Amino acid sequence: MSHFTKNLIGKYIPLWKRKIPKYPIYWKGDPQLRVFLPLFWMKLLKPKNKIPSDRVQFEVHPQMSTMDVKNYLEKIYKVPVTDVKFATHQGEPIEHPLRGSVVTREDDKKIAFVVLGEGQTFEFPGIFDKPSDTGKQMEDYKVENRKMERANQKLWDKLSLPPWFR
Amino acid sequence: MAASLIGRHFFIQSRNRRTLTLKSRLKYSSAVQAVSNEDVESLYPPVKPRFPPGNWTSMTEEEAWTRYEAMQEMTAVPTVKERLEKLTKKQMRAYRFPVNNKSVRVLEFQKNVTKSHLIKGLPTVYDSLQVDSLILEKIKPYIIEVLLLEKERLFRSRFRDIHRDSLILRNLIQTLLPLLYEHNTALRTSQVDEEVDIKGFWDRSGFKRVMWYDPEMERPKEFRIKYANDVRFQTAHVCDVSIRTENPLKEFLPIDDELCINEEFPVLEYHPKVFGTSKTDREKSQLTPGYNLGDPCEFGLVSFHNTVWLDYQRRKYGDAVTEEMRQGMGLTASFTWLLAQAYSQGFNSLLDVTYPMTTQTVLSDGQKMSFFAYQLNTIDMLKNNMANPRQNICWYTDETQLYEKIEDGKVIGFNDETCETLLKFLLMKPERRNINMKPTLPAESSDILSETEFISRNPLDLSTETN
C-alpha cells in the first residue's frame, strides 16, 4: 500500500469503521499496558424474538472479542456479565440500479448475545413503539397536493395567469 | 402443480358462496313448504362429529382429526421396529437438546421441554432401605484400592481427562458388582455395558415451526406459508456405564399422586433458539436405548456419567451457574434413557405411556458424587396441560464428596454416607409388575432378538466321521 492510498482510506472510511491498530507487545517487567479511548463501540439492538429479561443484544465492532465486551460493560458501565456469545449476520446485497445484478454486499454485522449477572434485568425502552408524527404530516401534504391538482385541472386554460387574477 | 390445485380450490369456494346466496333468495319465496317427516330414514351417511373421541382441548378440529388418524395408524403397526421406521421415515430438522448443555441459565427451559418437576432430596423409598454395616465394611477396602490405583499409582492419574474419569467409574463398578451378587439377586442376570450410546427424540408443542412455504403461489400473502405448533427435539449422549435388568424398578409414586398431576405447569414464552440451541441437518431422527430390540434386559437400573466438562464450566462461570448445569445434566440424562426405553416398549409421542417408568443416575468424578432418581409419567408433550395434566418428576441430591484427599498412599476422610447411597442405588430390587408391559402391541408380536438364540441349547456334535 502506497503512501497515497493510505491517506485516501483515512479520508473516506469513518473512524468507527476503521481497523483497530495493534497493541504494543508486552514484555515481562514493563509497566502495565493501558488503552484509553479505544475504537470499540457497542450498539443496543431491539431483539426480534421475545427474550428473557436477563439477556441483552448488541451490535459490536467486528474486531471485539468476548473479553472486550465483558470489560466494556463491567468497567465503564458497572454492569456484571456472566456470558457472551457472538453471531455474524451477512450484509444485504446491493443491486445494480439498471441491470439488477448483485454488485456488492453491505458490511457484515457482528452481534453479541449477552447474559447479565445475577439479579440484573433490562428492558428495551419503548422509544420506537409510539406512532411517529411524520406519517400524519405526509398524509396532510398529500391531501393538499391533491387539492392543488384538482384546481389546476379545472382552470387549465388560466394557468399562465397569476392566482389572484383567475 | 400445487399452485394450480389451490387456485382451483379457491374458485370452487367462491362459486359455492354464490349458490348459497341464490338459495337464500329462494327461502323467502312462497313456493317452499315446510315438510316434517321424521320417520323416513336419511339416505345420507351419518354426520361426522366435530371432534374425535378423547380429550382435545386447545386443538383445532383439523389438528385433532389428523392426530387421531395418526394414532390409529400407529396402533395398526404390529412391531416396534416398524413403528420407529415410520416415525423416522421423514427427514426433518430437529433442535439439539444436549445433555451437557454449555449455555447459561437454561434449567427452566430444560424442565419445560421435558415437562419435568425438580424436587430436592431422594424419594421416600430410600429412607426405608438400610444397608448393613457388614456390607459396607466388606466393600470399603475394595473401593479404596480402586481409588488409589486410579488417582495415584497409574501414569494416567496425572492428567485430567475424560477417558480417565470414565475409567474410574468402570473400574469401580467392575469391582463392586461381583461383591454385591449375593445381596441383590437381580444383578446376577443383569447386563453391564460401557460407553453406551443413548439417543432419543420427541415432539413438543408450544413452539412455532414453518411447515411449508411457497412464494410463487397464487394466493394472498398470508396463505402462502403454513405454520405448525410442534417442534422435534433430538438428544445424543454417551453414558459411561449402564446396568440393565430383566424386570423394571418399582414406581416411586403412584401415577394418580398429587405430585404427578399438575394442571398449572408453566408455559414457556420463549423460542428455543433464544437459549442458544442449534439445529440438526435435514436427516432422520435417531433413537437407541443402549441395547438391541428384543433384549432380555430391557429396563435400566442405574447409569453412570462422568462430569469432566462441569469443571471447565466452573472455572469459567463460577459455582452458582454450574450447580444449575449439574441439575440439568442429571435431568436430561435420565429422561433420554427412559424415553428410549419407553419407545422400545411400543410407546411414542402419539401413544402415551400407561404406567410410570423409573431409573436412577449417578454423576460422579471419582471424588464428587450426586444422585438422581427419575419417574417418567408422560411422553405426550403435544397436548395441552388441560388435556394431559401429568408431569414427570426428578429427585436430586447435593454434590457430596466420597473422600477428602489422597496423601502418601492413604485415602483421608472417607465419607460413609455417600458410599451408603451408592450401595442403595445398586441394591434396589426390581420387581415384576402384574400388568401388561406392552399394551399397545399385539400379544403375538415378537422382535428379532427374542427369536434368535446365540448359544443353542442342543449340544454341539463334535464327533468326526471316520472311515
Side-chain angles (χ1 to χ4, degrees):
Chain A
M1 197 184 281
S2 67
H3 182 69
F4 179 70
T5 48
K6 258 189 186 176
N7 287 339
L8 261 180
I9 288 161
K11 265 185 189 176
Y12 294 115
I13 296 175
L15 193 72
W16 61 279
K17 269 190 180 179
R18 267 187 233 172
K19 210 178 171 185
I20 290 158
K22 270 190 177 180
Y23 299 124
I25 300 162
Y26 177 77
W27 296 100
K28 206 175 178 183
D30 286 358
Q32 195 189 349
L33 293 175
R34 290 179 196 280
V35 182
F36 300 102
L37 298 173
L39 289 172
F40 291 145
W41 52 266
M42 288 169 75
K43 181 188 163 189
L44 251 176
L45 289 180
K46 192 179 181 180
K48 274 185 183 178
N49 293 48
K50 200 183 176 186
I51 56 170
S53 59
D54 62 340
R55 278 149 210 261
V56 197
Q57 292 181 10
F58 294 97
E59 191 193 330
V60 297
H61 191 279
Q63 253 175 304
M64 277 173 92
S65 67
T66 49
M67 289 306 289
D68 290 332
V69 172
K70 202 178 177 185
N71 284 328
Y72 194 95
L73 290 169
E74 282 186 346
K75 302 214 167 162
I76 299 173
Y77 293 100
K78 313 287 178 195
V79 176
V81 174
T82 51
D83 191 26
V84 182
K85 276 177 183 178
F86 287 127
T88 46
H89 289 285
Q90 201 180 22
E92 288 178 4
I94 298 166
E95 291 178 354
H96 194 274
L98 300 174
R99 291 173 195 164
S101 58
V102 177
V103 183
T104 52
R105 284 186 170 275
E106 286 178 8
D107 291 344
D108 295 354
K109 287 176 181 177
K110 192 174 194 178
I111 287 164
F113 302 96
V114 176
V115 182
L116 298 174
E118 272 196 46
Q120 291 284 326
T121 53
F122 177 78
E123 277 189 26
F124 195 83
I127 301 164
F128 305 110
D129 297 343
K130 290 175 188 172
S132 58
D133 295 332
T134 50
K136 262 189 181 181
Q137 286 174 8
M138 282 298 289
E139 278 175 13
D140 294 339
Y141 172 73
K142 273 179 186 174
V143 168
E144 283 180 11
N145 208 4
R146 189 77 180 161
K147 275 179 189 175
M148 283 288 287
E149 280 178 9
R150 282 276 171 84
N152 290 349
Q153 279 174 8
K154 271 183 186 177
L155 311 166
W156 63 273
D157 53 343
K158 295 168 188 175
L159 281 177
S160 59
L161 296 170
W164 53 269
F165 194 72
R166 281 173 196 172
Chain B
M1 182 70 188
S4 66
L5 273 171
I6 283 147
R8 206 182 293 160
H9 175 69
F10 251 77
F11 177 64
I12 291 158
Q13 216 176 37
S14 62
R15 205 170 57 182
N16 281 341
R17 221 175 276 154
R18 205 171 175 187
T19 51
L20 277 167
T21 49
L22 282 168
K23 271 182 187 173
S24 65
R25 269 183 215 161
L26 286 168
K27 203 176 172 184
Y28 297 107
S29 67
S30 59
V32 177
Q33 291 178 352
V35 183
S36 62
N37 42 0
E38 292 170 357
D39 301 330
V40 178
E41 289 181 1
S42 60
L43 294 169
Y44 298 105
V47 180
K48 201 179 175 185
R50 283 187 68 191
F51 281 96
N55 198 350
W56 305 100
T57 49
S58 86
M59 269 193 189
T60 59
E61 291 171 39
E62 194 185 335
E63 282 176 350
W65 275 108
T66 48
R67 189 154 150 62
Y68 182 71
E69 283 163 14
M71 277 170 69
Q72 282 187 332
E73 280 178 22
M74 193 55 75
T75 45
V77 179
T79 58
V80 176
K81 198 189 173 185
E82 286 172 1
R83 282 184 184 188
L84 283 173
E85 278 173 5
K86 196 179 177 180
L87 281 168
T88 59
K89 194 170 72 178
K90 191 187 168 191
Q91 292 188 346
M92 60 188 293
R93 298 191 77 179
Y95 283 99
R96 286 199 190 92
F97 196 77
V99 171
N100 46 4
N101 198 338
K102 280 159 191 164
S103 38
V104 177
R105 265 178 235 155
V106 288
L107 183 63
E108 286 203 6
F109 169 70
Q110 286 173 334
K111 276 158 67 177
N112 190 284
V113 171
T114 56
K115 209 180 176 185
S116 48
H117 177 66
L118 268 174
I119 298 168
K120 198 173 179 181
L122 291 171
T124 51
V125 181
Y126 293 96
D127 300 334
S128 58
L129 259 174
Q130 281 188 344
V131 182
D132 290 334
S133 56
L134 287 171
I135 302 171
L136 218 157
E137 281 175 16
K138 191 181 84 177
I139 279 162
K140 209 194 259 184
Y142 290 95
I143 292 173
I144 286 165
E145 201 174 300
V146 170
L147 289 170
L148 286 173
L149 185 79
E150 293 285 340
K151 296 265 177 182
E152 207 175 48
R153 282 175 214 159
L154 288 173
F155 178 72
R156 63 174 180 240
S157 65
R158 294 173 205 174
F159 307 105
R160 190 93 178 81
D161 196 19
I162 295 167
H163 305 295
R164 198 201 70 173
D165 272 34
S166 65
L167 280 164
I168 292 168
L169 289 173
R170 285 190 226 171
N171 207 339
L172 201 81
I173 289 149
Q174 281 171 12
T175 49
L176 275 178
L177 279 177
L179 298 166
L180 296 172
Y181 281 151
E182 57 180 326
H183 305 293
N184 193 357
T185 50
L187 288 174
R188 290 176 199 172
T189 53
S190 66
Q191 290 190 7
V192 185
D193 290 320
E194 293 170 352
E195 287 198 353
V196 191
D197 273 3
I198 295 167
K199 290 174 186 176
F201 67 90
W202 72 101
D203 297 327
R204 178 88 171 103
S205 72
F207 304 115
K208 218 175 182 183
R209 170 172 68 88
V210 176
M211 223 167 151
W212 50 257
Y213 173 60
D214 195 351
E216 296 174 354
M217 205 173 265
E218 297 170 1
R219 279 186 165 203
K221 213 172 190 179
E222 298 169 5
F223 302 106
R224 282 174 205 168
I225 193 164
K226 197 182 180 187
Y227 292 103
N229 191 26
D230 59 326
V231 162
R232 181 162 284 189
F233 287 96
Q234 173 80 52
T235 57
H237 186 58
V238 179
C239 163
D240 284 331
V241 184
S242 73
I243 302 171
R244 289 177 283 107
T245 50
E246 288 176 346
N247 294 321
L249 266 176
K250 257 189 176 182
E251 56 189 28
F252 298 123
L253 285 173
I255 204 163
D256 304 325
D257 198 78
E258 287 180 1
L259 271 169
C260 299
I261 292 164
N262 183 15
E263 289 189 354
E264 295 173 355
F265 193 82
V267 178
L268 202 71
E269 301 168 357
Y270 313 110
H271 199 265
K273 74 181 176 186
V274 170
F275 298 99
T277 51
S278 57
K279 268 185 172 180
T280 59
D281 293 333
R282 193 169 283 279
E283 61 190 15
K284 288 180 180 179
S285 311
Q286 296 171 344
L287 188 130
T288 51
Y291 54 86
N292 290 324
L293 288 171
D295 200 283
C297 297
E298 284 189 319
F299 300 99
L301 185 76
V302 202
S303 65
F304 292 84
H305 308 261
N306 65 10
T307 56
V308 175
W309 72 283
L310 274 175
D311 288 8
Y312 294 111
Q313 306 305 317
R314 189 174 286 111
R315 230 179 283 162
K316 211 174 171 186
Y317 300 117
D319 289 334
V321 175
T322 44
E323 175 60 24
E324 276 191 355
M325 283 177 174
R326 186 183 65 81
Q327 291 173 21
M329 187 194 176
L331 194 145
T332 45
S334 40
F335 175 79
T336 46
W337 202 27
L338 278 173
L339 185 90
Q341 283 173 35
Y343 270 59
S344 66
Q345 295 293 318
F347 304 110
N348 46 46
S349 54
L350 292 165
L351 308 169
D352 200 3
V353 289
T354 52
Y355 53 87
M357 301 178 81
T358 46
T359 49
Q360 314 166 99
T361 53
V362 182
L363 311 182
S364 86
D365 186 13
Q367 191 177 12
K368 293 165 190 168
M369 281 200 167
S370 53
F371 303 93
F372 289 78
Y374 199 93
Q375 177 162 325
L376 191 84
N377 294 320
T378 54
I379 312 174
D380 191 354
M381 311 283 186
L382 286 164
K383 278 182 182 175
N384 195 16
N385 285 337
M386 296 293 284
N388 181 19
R390 283 192 216 154
Q391 65 176 6
N392 306 317
I393 304 169
C394 180
W395 289 270
Y396 73 99
T397 60
D398 280 331
E399 211 168 38
T400 50
Q401 288 193 333
L402 190 65
Y403 63 92
E404 277 181 22
K405 56 182 177 180
I406 293 173
E407 269 186 358
D408 308 329
K410 281 181 183 177
V411 176
I412 298 164
F414 191 84
N415 195 353
D416 286 348
E417 288 182 6
T418 46
C419 190
E420 268 187 13
T421 41
L422 203 152
L423 288 173
K424 276 181 188 176
F425 269 53
L426 289 166
L427 293 173
M428 278 288 277
K429 281 169 187 172
E431 286 182 6
R432 176 165 289 186
R433 298 184 192 178
N434 296 321
I435 48 167
N436 186 11
M437 299 304 275
K438 297 176 182 177
T440 57
L441 292 166
E444 296 170 356
S445 75
S446 57
D447 290 308
I448 318 145
L449 258 173
S450 57
E451 291 175 358
T452 55
E453 286 175 355
F454 294 109
I455 302 163
S456 60
R457 288 179 186 177
N458 302 323
L460 283 167
D461 193 19
L462 295 169
S463 61
T464 51
E465 289 179 8
T466 51
N467 293 325

